[in-house]
Structure formats: structure tokens, C-alpha cells
């Protein structure tokens, strides 16, 4: 019906316009015909009666002549008759004869064209004929016709024409509607078939209908062009928001299920006395993925590691989060103590973590841990199968805990789109070869359609590693690996944070944050404060950071008593021996430096080894003068980006290790080599004396970068690439 209206409305308008133009035309034409008829009729009347009139006029019988004339005008349309008798010089006329016409003024009515006169009783038609019995004129006969019948007829004609056009309109509309409906259905059916043939729908094998065949090739080109245009438009032209991400999911990936898999869960329920608390873990992965999960409203499968996690879930081990405004769900996977110890602490964090980070900690590989790692990856694969509502979900596999998972998912859900993101660095082939199960790990990862790293350098390392270890085709032009007949794209997707920044990051005014953190640690109101925020991990360069503070106080003693460094260190993986030793080392170093510079109650290093919620961390970001990120090796490091995002006052200085992925994106930070203690101390000094205008200029550039490349863009790019690969795959299937 809607499609038919598209035809009927223009049709009705056209008919109305035609009627509007035709009716006056018809009216004009009929008037002309009627006048011509009256001309002929008048001549006929004049010719017929002129002899009798002459006879009666010559007989001088005016009464008889008048009676004769009156008898003639009994005709309905003959309105009046008159005779101008030139011999007697008198006008003999019927009573109805218009007074305006006199014998002296007949000249005007004798011209060949028609003469009309408007009298009180309506329009009149006048004809004057000379009466010439012997060639000489003896008078004029005046015939007057009533024209009001023409008006009546014209009204009737108009009415008739109106009904005619309405009837015509209805008939044509009905016919059009039926034809339009039939052709529209046929066209749509044809287009559907054609699009299926173009690879957009695999559900049918029928070729396009014969009438659409000629345009099939053009349509194919058009679809490709549009796709091409869209592909180039998306990156730079999309305004990257949660809505943009949802839009990609619905439009480009047809609203498919999104399943995130990570070891660490975004919300942890823990018991505190009789109450249950919800905590946000210290994890860059969670910081980045949580806003994406909120936007995509899918399922996040993770290890249920909190002491009250089992109490919070439903019968299917699911819980809706965020607790205050649920928009997605966590599906918790339970691990035995042995599994957690072997898979998480053992293989993932004593093996792969030091293997991938250049932090000079030797990786430990145990067969027992590897077996648990395989077992837990299987367990998570089973959870993915259970949570997938369709045969082709989008599964976002996160990090080094799940190197085997992509292959396991692909084996059981061949249509699934598995996108794996490796959040930590990828080492060079020599280093990776240390791992006894190197080939199995690579085989597992190559079950992904897309494998992402933060930097190009890590992508290169991965391709080199595959080249060295597997029998696979490595394409350095396209950055992909073809292994076992399937291709995995290996691309760089630098991760980011949400923008506009999370409310928790900017809620408290900067002035209050400055006052609060100084008051909390008994620092003078004008004390300069530096901040470090990390998990207590040996890759973070916390030891080197403290040594840099010590060196600053040595080289620039004017800062003693005036500058303190607050280190927030979230306890992490404390079951592992290396982490325990590291904590002891960090605590010892802090007290040594504090003792060295102690003066009254001045502490150069304030070490807070405890968990802080995002709001508490934000207070330190906003209240400090500088933030020092000194990782010895880091995939990205989102503390750097969070600090910048929290400073809408455009003040504060970021000192950033050159060994973080973030250093490639934020060159306006003071970039240092954290191993070079004196260089780092100099950077600390430069930050402390940096003019406010320079702080603002640097901050502005860094904020602009994060604004433009936020985490929605990070996820959106991977999803768009996945959508493109799906379409290309279908087209390739068609070809073969
Ligand atoms: C790194 C890893 C993440 C991990 C986070 C916290 O950022 O890439 O996968 O979640 O550290 O570590 P944790 O072991 O506490 O989850």
C-alpha cells in the first residue's frame, strides 16, 4: 500500500492540474461554437422574415408588423426583434427590445464580427441585416438572441467534466495500484535474488531473474564501490561513540551476538564481614573493555575469582552488570584451586608474562601448568558454546590467558568470527622459542580471523615468529598468515580509553583533589606531588622510578621537603614468588630513600600497597603535579591515557617510558628511558619547573589524540575489519 501511494499521489496531482487547464479551454471552445450557431440562426431568421416585414412595413400597418414580430419571438431563445424603417423613420420593435439600440447607432452592430451586449436580463447576441428589396436599403432588421442558455449549458459541461475527471482518476489509480504492486513485488523478489548472488545472503543458490540479469554486473560494481567508500569513510568520519559501535554491530554485522572472553572479570564480588562489596579490578584490559561491553550489551565470560562471586550469580552463573545500571552480563567460569594455580599463576603469569615482557625475569614452564592451561582453555570454549545464541557470534578473545581458545572455538563454531587481542608485547622469535609449547600456542592463536596487537613492532615480531616456527604462508604485504587453508589478519589496533572520560575520572573539582591528597598525607598545601599508579608488578619499573626520585633529590636538593612521590601499588599475583620478592624489594627501597632524606615528618616516597577504586585513583591524577609511568616494557599502558583524560584543566605533566605502546601515541609527554636513572631524574625536575603554558600546550595535544582515538574506535575498527572479512569470504566462496 505504501509503495502504491507513491504512484497514486503524483497521479492525483497530475489529474487535478490537467482538469485545471482543460476546463477553461473547453468552456471557451463551446462558447465559440454557440456564438457561431447563433450567427447562423440570426441570418436564417432575418432571411426568413424579411419579405413579410417589408410587406407589412410598406402597407403601413405598424400594428400588424408588431404583432408579427411578437409572434416570432415566442421562440425560447429569440429575445427581441426590431425593424428600423428608413422610409417612415421609425423603429418598430418588440417590448423586450434593448433600449440601448437605436436606429441612429446601428453602424457598430453591422460590422462582420459578432456583437454581444450585456443587459439587465443577461448577455444578448445582436445581428443587424439590411433589407434591400431592389438593391436600395429600406431599413434594417435587428435580431436579438438571449445567451443565458449558454451560461447554463457551460455550468452543466463543467460539472460533467469534473465528474469525468474524478471517475477517470479513480479508475487510473486503481489500475496503477494493481500494476505497481505486482511490479514492485516482482522487482523486490528479483533484487533479493540478485543480492544473494552477489554474496550478501548465502541462504539460496537461485540465479537472478532474467530481467535483472543485465544490471547484475553494474549492481555488483556499485555494491563494491559503496563498500569501498564506506571503508574509507568509517575511520575518519565516524564520530566514535557507544552509539557508533552499536550501529556497526547492527548495520555491518547484522546485530550478531557479542561475547567477550577474558580471565579477569570487570566486576568482582567480595565478602567483607556480612556484606558483599563490588570492586573494579586494577587491569588495563578491564578499563578498556568495560565501556565497549556496555555499548555492545553482550556477554562477558570471565573467571569468577571473587570470594562472593558465587553468591551473586543466577542458576546459569550469570550476573547483570554494571550493578547500578545493568547493560550486559558476566558469565562466570569456576576454576578449582589447582586449575587457577596451574593455568593462571603458573603457565600464564610465570611462563607467558615474563616471556613476552623484557623485564629480565626468567619464565618458568611446567608441564603440569601447561596441562591446566589447556584444560581451562577447553572450559572457556565450552562456556562460549553455551553462551552463543547463534552459530556465528562475534567472540572477542582477550590476552595471553587464552592463546588456545580461538582454535577451540573455530573447531566447534566454524562460522564464528573470532577476534583475538593480545594486550601485552609479543617477543622476537628467539625469545618466543624458549616456550616448549610454542607451536601449539601459535596454532591456537591462528584460529582467529583477526589477531590484534598495540604496535606494528609486535605484529612484525608475531609474523617473524610464525615464519620461524610454523609451516605457514606469511604475507607481509597484507599482514596476514594463511595456515591450514585459513587466513588470519594480523593488525595493529592501539587500545585506548573511553572518551568523553568516565564520570569517575572528572567528578571531583581539581582544587579539592589537590587539597585532599596533600591533607591526607600531611603535606604542606604548596607541596609538589608526583604520582605513580600500577599493579605491584616487576614490569612497571617501580624500582627505577624510586631511584629516579632519589637521584632528583640528590641532583636538585632544593626539592627535599618540597616534593613527594605517591605510589599507588595494587597488590597483584601475590601467590607467585617473584611478585612476593618484588614487593619486599619495593618496600625496602622506599624506606631506604625515605630514611635518607627524612627531615621532620617529610617523606619523599609515599607507598600505598592497597587496592584503590577508580574514584580514589582519579583524585590522585587530578590533584598531582606530575604522573610518572616508567614501565620497563608495556603493551600500551592506560594509566598514561587516564591521567591525561582526567586533566580537563590542561595542567600536570606526564613522564612516560619509551618502552610503552603509549609513548608512540603521546610524544608530547616527557619520554624517558626508565633504566637511565639520571635522565629520568632530569625529566622529573623539568616537569616540576615546567611553565603552565607549556603544560597546557602538551596536555592539549595529548587530549586531542585520546579524544580522536578512543576505545570505541579501537573496538569499532576491529569490528569493521571483521565485517569486511565476512563479506570478502562470502564473495570468495561464490567465486569458487
Ligand atoms: C595486564 C594484562 C591483563 C590483566 C591485567 C591485570 O594488563 O594484560 O590481562 O588483566 O594485567 O592483571 P591480573 O592478573 O590481575 O588480571
Amino acid at each position: 500500500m505504501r509503495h502504491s501511494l507513491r504512484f497514486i499521489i503524483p497521479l492525483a496531482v497530475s489529474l487535478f492540474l490537467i482538469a485545471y487547464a482543460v476546463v477553461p479551454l473547453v468552456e471557451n471552445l463551446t462558447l465559440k461554437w454557440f456564438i457561431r450557431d447563433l450567427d447562423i440562426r440570426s441570418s436564417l431568421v432575418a432571411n426568413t422574415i424579411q419579405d413579410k416585414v417589408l410587406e407589412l412595413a410598406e402597407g403601413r400597418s405598424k400594428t400588424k408588423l408588431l404583432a408579427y414580430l411578437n409572434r416570432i419571438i415566442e421562440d425560447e431563445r429569440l429575445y427581441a426583434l426590431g425593424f428600423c424603417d428608413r422610409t417612415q423613420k421609425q423603429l418598430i420593435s418588440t417590448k423586450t427590445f434593448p433600449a440601448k439600440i437605436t436606429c441612429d447607432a446601428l453602424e457598430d452592430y453591422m460590422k462582420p464580427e459578432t456583437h454581444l451586449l450585456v443587459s439587465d436580463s443577461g448577455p444578448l447576441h445582436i445581428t443587424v441585416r439590411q433589407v434591400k428589396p431592389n438593391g436600395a436599403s429600406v431599413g434594417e432588421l435587428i435580431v436579438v438572441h438571449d445567451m443565458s442558455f449558454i451560461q447554463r449549458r457551460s455550468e452543466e459541461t463543467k460539472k460533467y467534466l469534473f465528474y469525468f475527471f474524478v471517475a477517470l482518476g479513480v479508475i487510473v489509480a486503481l489500475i496503477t495500484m494493481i500494476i505497481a504492486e505486482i511490479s514492485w513485488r516482482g522487482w523486490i523478489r528479483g533484487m533479493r535474488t540478485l543480492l544473494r548472488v552477489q554474496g550478501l545472503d548465502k541462504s539460496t543458490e537461485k540465479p537472478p531473474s532474467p530481467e535483472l540479469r543485465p544490471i547484475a554486473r553494474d549492481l555488483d560494481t556499485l555494491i563494491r564501490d559503496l563498500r569501498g567508500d564506506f571503508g574509507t569513510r568509517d575511520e575518519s568520519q565516524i564520530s566514535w561513540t557507544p552509539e557508533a559501535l552499536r550501529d556497526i554491530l547492527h548495520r555491518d554485522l547484522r546485530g550478531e551476538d557479542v561475547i567477550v572472553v577474558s580471565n579477569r572479570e570487570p566486576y568482582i564480588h567480595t565478602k567483607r564481614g556480612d556484606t558483599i562489596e563490588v570492586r573494579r579490578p586494577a587491569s588495563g584490559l578491564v578499563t578498556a573493555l568495560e565501556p565497549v561491553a556496555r555499548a555492545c550489551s553482550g556477554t562477558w565470560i570471565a573467571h569468577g575469582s571473587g570470594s562472593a562471586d558465587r553468591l551473586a550469580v543466577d542458576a546459569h552463573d550469570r550476573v547483570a552488570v554494571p550493578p547500578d545500571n545493568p547493560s550486559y552480563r558476566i558469565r562466570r567460569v569456576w576454576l578449582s584451586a589447582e586449575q587457577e594455580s596451574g593455568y593462571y599463576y603458573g603457565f600464564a603469569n610465570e611462563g607467558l608474562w615474563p616471556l613476552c615482557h623484557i623485564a629480565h625475569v626468567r619464565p618458568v614452564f611446567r608441564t603440569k601448568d601447561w596441562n591446566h592451561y589447556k584444560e581451562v582453555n577447553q572450559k572457556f570454549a565450552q562456556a562460549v558454546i553455551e553462551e552463543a545464541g547463534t552459530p556465528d557470534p562475534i567472540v572477542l578473545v582477550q590476552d595471553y590467558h587464552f592463546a588456545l581458545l580461538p582454535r577451540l572455538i573455530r573447531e566447534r563454531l566454524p562460522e564464528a568470527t573470532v577476534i583475538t587481542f593480545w594486550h601485552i608485547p609479543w617477543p622476537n622469535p628467539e625469545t618466543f622459542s624458549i616456550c616448549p609449547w610454542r607451536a601449539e600456542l601459535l596454532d591456537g592463536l591462528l584460529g582467529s580471523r583477526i589477531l590484534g596487537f598495540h604496535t606494528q613492532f609486535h605484529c612484525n615480531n608475531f609474523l617473524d615468529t610464525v615464519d620461524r616456527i610454523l609451516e605457514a604462508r606469511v604475507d607481509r604485504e597484507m599482514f596476514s598468515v594463511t595456515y591450514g587453508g585459513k587466513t588470519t589478519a594480523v593488525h595493529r589496533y592501539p587500545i585506548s580509553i573511553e572518551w568523553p572520560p568516565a564520570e569517575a575520572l572528572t567528578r571531583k573539582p581539581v582544587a579539592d583533589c589537590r587539597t585532599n591528597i596533600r591533607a591526607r598525607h600531611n603535606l604542606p598545601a604548596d607541596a609538589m606531588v608526583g604520582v605513580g599508579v600500577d599493579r605491584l608488578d616487576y614490569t612497571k619499573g617501580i624500582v627505577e622510578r624510586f631511584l629516579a626520585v632519589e637521584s632528583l633529590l640528590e641532583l636538585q636538593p632544593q626539592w627535599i621537603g618540597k616534593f613527594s612521590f605517591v605510589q599507588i601499588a595494587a597488590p597483584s599475583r601475590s601467590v607467585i614468588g617473584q611478585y612476593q620478592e618484588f614487593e619486599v624489594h619495593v618496600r625496602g627501597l622506599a624506606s631506604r630513600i625515605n630514611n635518607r632524606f627524612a627531615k621532620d615528618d617529610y617523606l619523599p616516597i609515599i607507598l600505598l600497597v592497597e587496592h584503590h577504586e577508580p574514584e580514589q585513583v582519579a583524585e590522585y591524577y587530578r590533584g598531582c603535579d606530575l604522573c610518572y609511568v616508567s614501565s620497563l616494557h608495556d603493551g600500551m599502558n592506560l594509566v598514561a591515557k587516564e591521567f591525561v583524560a582526567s586533566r580537563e584543566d590542561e595542567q600536570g605533566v606526564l613522564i612516560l617510558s619509551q618502552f610503552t605502546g603509549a609513548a608512540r601515541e603521546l610524544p608530547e609527554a616527557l619520554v624517558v628511558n626508565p633504566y637511565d636513572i639520571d635522565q629520568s631524574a632530569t625529566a622529573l625536575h623539568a616537569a616540576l619547573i615546567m611553565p603552565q603554558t607549556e603544560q597546557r600546550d602538551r596536555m592539549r595535544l595529548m587530549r586531542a589524540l585520546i579524544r580522536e582515538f578512543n576505545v570505541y574506535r579501537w573496538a569499532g575498527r576491529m569490528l569493521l575489519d571483521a565485517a569486511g572479512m565476512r563479506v570478502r569470504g562470502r564473495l570468495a566462496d561464490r567465486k569458487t
Side-chain angles (χ1 to χ4, degrees):
M1 183 64 199
R2 227 180 40 211
H3 305 305
S4 308
L5 279 179
R6 287 185 201 160
F7 296 102
I8 292 172
I9 293 171
L11 182 82
V13 173
S14 328
L15 278 176
F16 174 77
L17 291 176
I18 293 171
Y20 191 74
V22 162
V23 170
L25 216 76
V26 172
E27 217 178 343
N28 224 346
L29 203 67
T30 46
L31 180 68
K32 273 189 191 154
W33 287 342
F34 281 127
I35 288 175
R36 197 160 349 123
D37 280 356
L38 285 179
D39 285 343
I40 297 167
R41 201 165 189 270
S42 297
S43 299
L44 186 71
V45 171
N47 289 342
T48 313
I49 67 170
Q50 81 172 3
D51 290 346
K52 184 74 181 166
V53 168
L54 194 60
E55 185 192 316
L56 290 171
E58 278 172 353
R60 305 275 186 268
S61 173
K62 186 180 172 187
T63 331
K64 276 190 186 163
L65 178 57
L66 203 55
Y68 179 65
L69 294 181
N70 277 333
R71 213 169 44 246
I72 293 170
I73 65 160
E74 274 169 16
D75 178 281
E76 190 197 346
R77 288 180 207 156
L78 206 53
Y79 181 73
L81 281 172
F83 178 64
C84 278
D85 188 344
R86 295 293 170 195
T87 330
Q88 300 296 319
K89 295 195 177 38
Q90 63 173 348
L91 170 70
I92 300 146
S93 63
T94 57
K95 259 196 211 138
T96 47
F97 197 81
K100 274 187 193 165
I101 306 174
T102 60
C103 291
D104 301 335
L106 281 182
E107 290 285 293
D108 289 345
Y109 300 105
M110 290 167 77
K111 288 176 192 151
E113 66 265 26
T114 307
H115 303 295
L116 301 178
L117 182 77
V118 180
S119 76
D120 296 344
S121 49
L124 299 173
H125 176 274
I126 320 287
T127 307
V128 177
R129 285 278 176 281
Q130 280 194 325
V131 182
K132 294 178 181 170
N134 307 312
S137 173
V138 291
E140 287 90 14
L141 197 56
I142 304 137
V143 182
V144 180
H145 270 101
D146 180 5
M147 284 177 72
S148 58
F149 82 96
I150 297 179
Q151 221 165 3
R152 279 196 306 277
R153 288 231 173 132
S154 157
E155 289 303 321
E156 271 169 28
T157 314
K158 259 198 253 172
K159 219 183 290 169
Y160 168 78
L161 274 176
F162 173 76
Y163 289 132
F164 170 76
F165 273 108
V166 168
L168 186 72
V170 171
I171 293 166
V172 175
L174 274 173
I175 296 172
T176 314
M177 226 165 87
I178 294 164
I179 294 175
E181 204 59 38
I182 293 169
S183 356
W184 181 259
R185 281 187 192 168
W187 169 258
I188 291 295
R189 214 175 306 122
M191 284 307 275
R192 279 203 184 126
T193 316
L194 191 58
L195 289 175
R196 280 180 197 126
V197 171
Q198 301 313 304
L200 298 178
D201 185 344
K202 288 174 107 175
S203 60
T204 173
E205 296 297 324
K206 260 171 62 185
S209 55
E211 70 271 20
L212 289 171
R213 242 170 252 157
I215 63 160
R217 187 180 291 273
D218 291 346
L219 190 75
D220 186 27
T221 315
L222 182 72
I223 291 170
R224 278 168 201 277
D225 286 353
L226 285 174
R227 274 204 202 109
D229 285 355
F230 185 71
T232 48
R233 215 166 7 125
D234 55 5
E235 267 279 22
S236 54
Q237 294 184 2
I238 293 176
S239 147
W240 289 100
T241 58
E243 291 71 44
L245 211 51
R246 278 194 282 272
D247 196 42
I248 290 172
L249 277 175
H250 290 126
R251 210 181 41 191
D252 298 77
L253 290 157
R254 303 203 215 124
E256 246 108 34
D257 271 4
V258 174
I259 301 173
V260 176
V261 189
S262 76
N263 171 70
R264 186 59 67 202
E265 53 185 343
Y267 294 89
I268 305 178
H269 289 82
T270 46
K271 276 191 212 149
R272 182 182 271 223
D274 288 343
T275 58
I276 294 178
E277 270 181 3
V278 184
R279 284 187 4 192
R280 300 282 307 276
S283 157
L285 178 155
V286 169
T287 305
L289 259 294
E290 210 276 334
V292 173
R294 264 187 277 132
C296 299
S297 304
T299 303
W300 187 326
I301 304 175
H303 171 210
S305 58
S307 52
D309 272 357
R310 283 182 192 266
L311 301 175
V313 295
D314 64 13
H316 304 284
D317 299 326
R318 296 173 186 146
V319 56
V321 287
D324 45 350
N325 182 20
S327 56
Y328 66 99
R329 62 190 187 188
I330 299 177
R331 156 75 195 275
R332 285 179 170 146
V333 174
W334 314 113
L335 301 181
S336 66
E338 296 75 43
Q339 282 174 332
E340 187 178 5
S341 158
Y343 137 83
Y344 171 71
Y345 290 113
F347 194 77
N349 286 316
E350 282 188 277
L352 292 179
W353 180 265
L355 179 77
C356 294
H357 288 91
I358 308 170
H360 313 289
V361 170
R362 292 173 68 140
V364 179
F365 292 110
R366 306 178 192 96
T367 307
K368 191 164 53 84
D369 293 347
W370 167 244
N371 288 336
H372 282 305
Y373 188 83
K374 285 196 289 188
E375 198 177 292
V376 172
N377 272 249
Q378 287 281 9
K379 204 165 189 174
F380 273 80
Q382 179 57 33
V384 171
I385 311 302
E386 284 164 16
E387 294 302 323
T390 58
D392 57 354
I394 294 155
V395 189
L396 306 175
V397 176
Q398 306 302 311
D399 234 351
Y400 59 99
H401 310 89
F402 297 116
L404 306 179
L405 189 55
R407 170 78 54 216
L408 295 173
I409 297 173
R410 197 162 198 165
E411 276 166 7
R412 295 177 67 183
L413 287 176
E415 295 296 313
T417 299
V418 182
I419 302 174
T420 304
F421 194 80
W422 194 263
H423 289 256
I424 62 175
W426 188 272
N428 63 35
E430 289 78 13
T431 307
F432 191 77
S433 302
I434 293 173
C435 178
W437 299 283
R438 53 195 175 269
E440 287 88 334
L441 292 173
L442 292 176
D443 174 83
L445 283 170
L446 291 173
S448 323
R449 288 215 189 181
I450 295 178
L451 174 59
F453 295 96
H454 295 295
T455 69
Q456 191 56 47
F457 188 66
H458 299 149
C459 296
N460 298 349
N461 276 352
F462 182 81
L463 291 197
D464 290 347
T465 310
V466 171
D467 217 3
R468 180 80 64 89
I469 296 171
L470 294 183
E471 284 292 327
R473 189 153 55 81
V474 173
D475 184 337
R476 289 175 198 272
E477 195 74 36
M478 299 302 292
F479 265 85
S480 64
V481 176
T482 305
Y483 178 65
K486 299 281 177 198
T487 301
T488 302
V490 180
H491 290 166
R492 161 187 175 264
Y493 302 98
I495 208 165
S496 196
I497 55 170
E498 60 186 308
W499 192 286
E503 215 234 318
L505 263 188
T506 52
R507 194 177 298 140
K508 249 187 220 161
V510 168
D512 292 359
C513 295
R514 290 188 72 84
T515 315
N516 291 354
I517 64 169
R518 284 163 183 74
R520 186 172 306 138
H521 300 296
N522 296 322
L523 300 173
D526 61 348
M528 297 297 275
V529 173
V531 158
V533 180
D534 307 85
R535 283 179 307 102
L536 196 41
D537 192 298
Y538 52 80
T539 60
K540 300 295 178 184
I542 299 173
V543 166
E544 290 72 11
R545 199 176 303 176
F546 289 178
L547 293 175
V549 172
E550 181 181 34
S551 172
L552 168 78
L553 300 181
E554 249 170 44
L555 297 171
Q556 306 284 344
Q558 72 272 24
W559 292 116
I560 299 172
K562 298 208 173 97
F563 170 67
S564 292
F565 192 85
V566 181
Q567 176 63 49
I568 294 177
S572 178
R573 307 170 191 170
S574 359
V575 168
I576 301 172
Q578 284 145 338
Y579 282 78
Q580 291 165 1
E581 285 160 25
F582 183 66
E583 185 178 339
V584 172
H585 185 43
V586 167
R587 283 186 189 274
L589 181 63
S591 24
R592 183 182 67 69
I593 296 170
N594 281 341
N595 288 336
R596 182 173 169 195
F597 296 100
K599 203 169 94 183
D600 305 327
D601 50 1
Y602 169 65
L603 287 179
I605 291 174
I606 299 163
L607 178 60
L608 309 172
V609 182
E610 58 194 293
H611 176 79
H612 286 69
E613 280 297 301
E615 289 78 6
Q616 297 169 305
V617 173
E619 195 171 49
Y620 284 95
Y621 284 148
R622 283 163 77 74
C624 71
D625 298 289
L626 65 90
C627 175
Y628 186 14
V629 174
S630 55
S631 307
L632 303 180
H633 203 190
D634 218 329
M636 173 54 70
N637 194 291
L638 291 182
V639 166
K641 291 190 175 179
E642 280 197 310
F643 167 65
V644 171
S646 77
R647 299 305 294 257
E648 87 277 0
D649 63 337
E650 297 176 337
Q651 292 300 300
V653 182
L654 174 65
I655 305 175
L656 184 56
S657 158
Q658 68 186 73
F659 306 120
T660 60
R664 288 168 172 77
E665 292 189 273
L666 305 173
E668 296 78 23
L670 298 183
V671 177
V672 296
N673 171 358
Y675 291 96
D676 187 339
I677 305 299
D678 288 344
Q679 184 203 36
S680 305
T682 310
L684 282 170
H685 178 65
L688 290 171
I689 59 165
M690 188 181 285
Q692 288 194 342
T693 48
E694 187 179 339
Q695 293 184 32
R696 190 201 58 212
D697 291 347
R698 288 174 184 270
M699 261 302 170
R700 265 191 200 169
L701 287 168
M702 293 191 285
R703 288 173 65 79
L705 185 285
I706 302 172
R707 184 186 308 124
E708 200 179 334
F709 294 91
N710 62 15
V711 77
Y712 303 113
R713 189 167 183 171
W714 171 78
R717 280 186 54 206
M718 287 195 284
L719 293 178
L720 279 174
D721 286 353
M725 288 174 84
R726 277 189 176 198
V727 176
R728 273 194 291 278
R730 284 177 196 138
L731 293 174
D733 286 354
R734 288 281 157 201
K735 249 189 260 166
T736 50

